[in-house]
Amino acid sequence: MNEDKLRMEEISKLKSDFFASMSHEIRTPFNGIIGLVELLTKTKLDEHQKDYLDTVKASSNDLLNVINDVLDLSKIEAEKLELLPTKTSLPDFAKRMVVLFSEKAKNKNITLNYSLDDKLPSYIQIDEHRLSQVVSNLISNAIKFTDSGNVDFQIKVINKQENKVKLEFKVSDTGIGIPPEKLNIIFNKYDQIANSSNYLITQIGTGLGLSISKKIIELMEGEIGVESQERKGSTFWFNINAEIIKEPNNTNIEANNKNKEKFDLNVLLVDDRDINLKVSSLMLNKLGCTVETASNGEMAIEKYSNSPEEFDLIIMDIQMPVMDGITATKILKEKFTNEIAPIFGLSAQIAKNLHKTPEELGFDHYLTKPLNMDMLKEGLQRL
């Protein structure tokens, strides 16, 4: 019996390692594709060129979402999915979710609204990435299955104490609704929504989104459910408990940083792939940075050691030949102690799948491939 258990654990570890490797190999070329497309969209284009690039970008993002779903499912089934709570601004989170889907809604002539409870705390301790994953899935589905009318996103306080709050998130739409016989299986893997004629509506995706969302909410010790009427729309909701974080006194400083568009920084960029160095350098240049590159950890240590005062930031790929980013970061931190520039870890794995916080691995922050301008800008604003 013990041998069977050990064998199952070994298989589970091999499976997890395989998907981690696949994540790295798939996301790395995506960094080049999505990054260059984003840079091209900011150049002078005619309408046809812009339309072509928008299509490439949308298709790349759809494929990336499929990859994310498959990788997350593997983590869930191997019981390896872990939550990493961080300080999260709920007003900023809500605005970001609406901005993210505003173009999709506009293209379908759907009104996308959001409302926030007046009692909502400004900051909570939550895994923002996983929360975003659930809300994004619900809003995306609402827009997908709504042809006219509106989609509404709401965050409401159910119960609030000194340091704890119970929150209700709702996404309502005026779409096709869900048949009664589908309501009990809507959160099952691979099940999609059928209309009243029992015609399966084929949509882009894996059919895993709601199943993964349910697992994430359960990990957060919350509940998720749906209420729906055919041809009248649906309301997906979930409740979670969170720790309240007191609002900091430097709100004005943070607000000023968020408006910053250009950064006069000298960056040491470390990555073993030439295309990643090229794309990331171009993005950093666009944001006002000067960039020096290195192709592995040993080279990064050498370049930084030659002139440590020259660099304001190190962006370090985690998986590299010769010397990986975690080892290089450890050596640099031991050598220069508190005088070293901030180091951002760069990974083709989703940051939450690394099982450790940035600080535990020696980094000040994580950046995830494929990189984009908004992600880089948000990271630089932390400085």
Side-chain angles (χ1 to χ4, degrees):
M1 196 71 176
N2 287 336
E3 288 183 5
D4 290 341
K5 185 179 179 181
L6 287 171
R7 179 61 180 160
M8 290 300 293
E9 288 176 354
E10 184 183 347
I11 291 171
S12 177
K13 185 180 185 304
L14 287 170
K15 184 179 177 182
S16 180
D17 291 344
F18 169 76
F19 277 105
S21 176
M22 287 300 294
S23 172
H24 180 267
E25 294 306 318
I26 293 170
R27 287 170 178 277
T28 296
F30 258 101
N31 193 51
I33 296 168
I34 293 178
L36 284 174
V37 166
E38 185 174 15
L39 288 168
L40 277 171
T41 58
K42 299 182 184 301
T43 62
K44 189 175 181 180
L45 303 165
D46 62 37
E47 288 186 16
H48 292 299
Q49 291 170 325
K50 186 177 184 305
D51 182 55
Y52 298 157
L53 284 172
D54 286 342
T55 303
V56 172
K57 187 175 181 180
S59 298
S60 298
N61 286 330
D62 285 337
L63 183 53
L64 190 60
N65 288 334
V66 171
I67 294 165
N68 289 341
D69 280 352
V70 172
L71 293 172
D72 278 343
L73 181 66
S74 74
K75 291 289 181 182
I76 288 169
E77 291 185 339
E79 297 183 349
K80 296 290 185 180
L81 192 68
E82 296 180 2
L83 299 177
L84 293 176
T86 58
K87 186 181 84 170
T88 299
S89 165
L90 284 173
D92 287 351
F93 172 81
K95 290 175 188 175
R96 188 163 59 253
M97 289 296 98
V98 172
V99 169
L100 184 63
F101 291 98
S102 59
E103 195 64 28
K104 278 189 177 181
K106 184 180 176 182
N107 290 339
K108 293 189 71 175
N109 293 317
I110 297 168
T111 304
L112 178 57
N113 305 306
Y114 78 99
S115 61
L116 304 178
D117 195 326
D118 292 338
K119 299 175 184 176
L120 207 66
S122 297
Y123 293 92
I124 61 170
Q125 187 83 357
I126 199 78
D127 189 323
E128 185 175 356
H129 170 72
R130 295 303 177 190
L131 181 64
S132 171
Q133 193 173 351
V134 175
V135 172
S136 294
N137 183 264
L138 298 184
I139 295 177
S140 177
N141 281 346
I143 295 172
K144 185 188 296 184
F145 294 109
T146 301
D147 291 325
S148 63
N150 53 278
V151 171
D152 298 307
F153 172 42
Q154 179 186 47
I155 308 178
K156 182 181 177 182
V157 172
I158 297 177
N159 185 28
K160 187 177 181 182
Q161 299 174 358
E162 186 177 352
N163 297 317
K164 297 283 185 180
V165 63
K166 185 173 185 177
L167 300 167
E168 180 181 66
F169 293 72
K170 278 187 179 180
V171 176
S172 305
D173 63 62
T174 55
I176 63 172
I178 303 169
E181 67 272 14
K182 279 281 184 177
L183 286 174
N184 291 331
I185 62 172
I186 196 67
F187 292 101
N188 293 352
K189 285 185 292 187
Y190 314 116
D191 280 302
Q192 294 187 345
I193 299 171
N195 66 12
S196 57
S197 303
N198 291 322
Y199 174 75
L200 186 64
I201 297 175
T202 304
Q203 298 286 351
I204 295 170
T206 58
L208 297 173
L210 289 176
S211 173
I212 291 170
S213 295
K214 185 174 187 290
K215 293 293 185 183
I216 291 171
I217 296 304
E218 287 174 351
L219 273 176
M220 292 180 173
E221 299 181 347
E223 298 176 281
I224 188 167
V226 59
E227 299 163 2
S228 184
Q229 283 185 282
E230 282 192 90
R231 296 192 181 93
K232 290 188 178 180
S234 304
T235 297
F236 282 83
W237 57 267
F238 64 88
N239 299 332
I240 55 172
N241 293 296
E243 179 186 344
I244 297 173
I245 297 179
K246 299 298 182 183
E247 192 169 351
N249 295 322
N250 60 343
T251 306
N252 292 332
I253 296 172
E254 289 186 0
N256 290 336
N257 285 340
K258 287 180 181 178
N259 293 326
K260 196 170 181 180
E261 296 291 329
K262 293 289 183 180
F263 305 86
D264 183 18
L265 300 171
N266 293 323
V267 180
L268 176 57
L269 177 65
V270 191
D271 200 306
D272 62 304
R273 304 288 180 99
D274 289 341
I275 185 64
N276 290 342
L277 290 174
K278 179 178 181 179
V279 173
S280 301
S281 294
L282 288 169
M283 287 183 175
L284 287 164
N285 290 154
K286 283 273 187 183
L287 291 170
C289 300
T290 303
V291 183
E292 182 80 19
T293 64
S295 58
N296 60 63
E298 282 188 358
M299 189 181 293
I301 293 170
E302 182 182 348
K303 286 200 172 187
Y304 189 85
S305 299
N306 287 339
S307 50
E309 71 286 343
E310 182 182 325
F311 298 104
D312 303 302
L313 171 67
I314 303 170
I315 298 179
M316 182 82 73
D317 188 22
I318 290 178
Q319 290 180 267
M320 293 182 291
V322 184
M323 182 184 287
D324 64 85
I326 295 172
T327 303
T329 297
K330 183 180 178 182
I331 292 171
L332 282 168
K333 292 263 178 151
E334 288 174 351
K335 186 174 182 179
F336 294 97
T337 60
N338 295 328
E339 297 177 3
I340 193 167
I343 305 178
F344 288 0
L346 178 61
S347 176
Q349 289 194 59
I350 298 173
K352 311 304 176 184
N353 288 347
L354 292 168
H355 304 306
K356 292 187 177 180
T357 64
E359 292 78 15
E360 286 172 334
L361 291 177
F363 302 114
D364 298 282
H365 181 55
Y366 276 141
L367 295 172
T368 306
K369 297 176 184 177
L371 278 175
N372 58 51
M373 294 287 281
D374 289 338
M375 189 192 304
L376 267 177
K377 190 187 298 182
E378 190 273 335
L380 296 180
Q381 285 166 349
R382 291 171 177 267
L383 304 177

